[in-house]
Amino acid sequence: MDMDKKNMLERVVKAARKAYMKGFAAGSGGNVSIRIQGQVYISPSGICLGDLTQEDMIMLESDPGRRRPSKEAGMHLACYRSRPDILCLFHLHSPYSIAAACRRQGNGSPATGMPAYTPGYAMRVGRIPVVPYYRPGSRELAEAVSDVICSRDSLLLANHGMVAAGKSPEAVLAAAEEIEENAHLTILLGDRGIPLDEEQTEALFRAGGTV
């Protein structure tokens, strides 16, 4: 294995283990992938992210079949096809993000996202959408997620978790941390919070890290 590939696999594994230690996945939940030199590597089915090693990562579409890739492999591949610029993608079962995506609005309909409570979150994430529930591993889920990822780097999955994508494992983990922190605030504050309004959020998101 060449050193660049080994280094990238070690970085994604390290970020996945950090995500597990932060409570962003339980048991064998969640999955991570990385694109290296045009090839996509993904965590296998049934493995705890806290125990993941670079040897566990499966190269999709060319593995001899000794191990079974994550059931969400189709979703990861669909996202990479829709976004040639992204190199890493995490799907995590972080509890506050799940809770935020399961909320009902005042009219009883499902939540359509969550408000931004801090400038940092607004700049890095913005108004995050919620993809409706589809069966895990399904073609419908893969299509729905890739349709959103084609124009932004993160989303919530109703009753399921979050998806974050980016150019490095470290950047994706940082985005996941921002999303989970804002979701925590959303649940803590309920309908008593005063979030940034849409205009403020959009202005910060357009400014990005320049503010």
Side-chain angles (χ1 to χ4, degrees):
M1 184 183 295
D2 66 62
M3 291 306 294
D4 286 344
K5 186 180 297 184
K6 183 176 180 180
N7 176 58
M8 290 302 293
L9 287 173
E10 186 55 41
R11 285 170 61 189
V12 73
V13 163
K14 183 178 180 181
R17 292 196 296 251
K18 283 185 176 180
Y20 177 81
M21 291 174 64
K22 291 176 178 292
F24 293 178
S28 59
N31 36 81
V32 302
S33 67
I34 190 163
R35 178 159 50 187
I36 307 171
Q37 299 167 8
Q39 294 286 346
V40 176
Y41 295 77
I42 194 168
S43 54
S45 177
I47 194 168
C48 172
L49 292 184
D51 297 327
L52 191 66
T53 69
Q54 59 178 294
E55 290 78 18
D56 292 320
M57 298 293 287
I58 299 170
M59 185 165 65
L60 289 176
E61 301 180 335
S62 61
D63 193 90
R66 292 181 296 107
R67 299 157 300 162
R68 189 160 52 94
S70 166
K71 72 175 71 172
E72 302 296 2
M75 179 182 75
H76 287 250
L77 287 173
C79 290
Y80 286 119
R81 284 193 292 267
S82 70
R83 285 283 300 278
D85 60 311
I86 62 172
L87 298 177
C88 186
L89 188 139
F90 282 18
H91 164 45
L92 301 169
H93 297 171
S94 42
Y96 288 106
S97 295
I98 294 174
C102 288
R103 291 174 305 135
R104 292 191 181 278
Q105 300 182 122
N107 59 6
S109 60
T112 56
M114 61 179 176
Y117 282 103
T118 66
Y121 174 81
M123 285 189 289
R124 298 178 186 94
V125 179
R127 293 184 62 82
I128 194 168
V130 178
V131 170
Y133 176 80
Y134 295 98
R135 180 176 55 82
S138 66
R139 178 177 56 82
E140 292 81 4
L141 178 62
E143 290 176 352
V145 171
S146 63
D147 284 349
V148 175
I149 287 293
C150 74
S151 60
R152 57 171 295 118
D153 292 341
S154 58
L155 54 91
L156 298 178
L157 301 174
N159 302 91
H160 196 169
M162 76 160 83
V163 172
K167 297 183 185 300
S168 72
E170 296 81 10
V172 175
L173 178 60
E177 290 175 316
E178 292 275 4
I179 294 165
E180 183 68 354
E181 179 185 68
N182 195 76
H184 192 175
L185 291 172
T186 299
I187 299 304
L188 281 175
L189 291 166
D191 59 3
R192 299 182 302 278
I194 304 176
L196 298 170
D197 63 31
E198 287 192 39
E199 184 178 347
Q200 291 167 331
T201 301
E202 183 61 26
L204 287 163
F205 186 63
R206 287 198 305 269
T210 61
V211 173

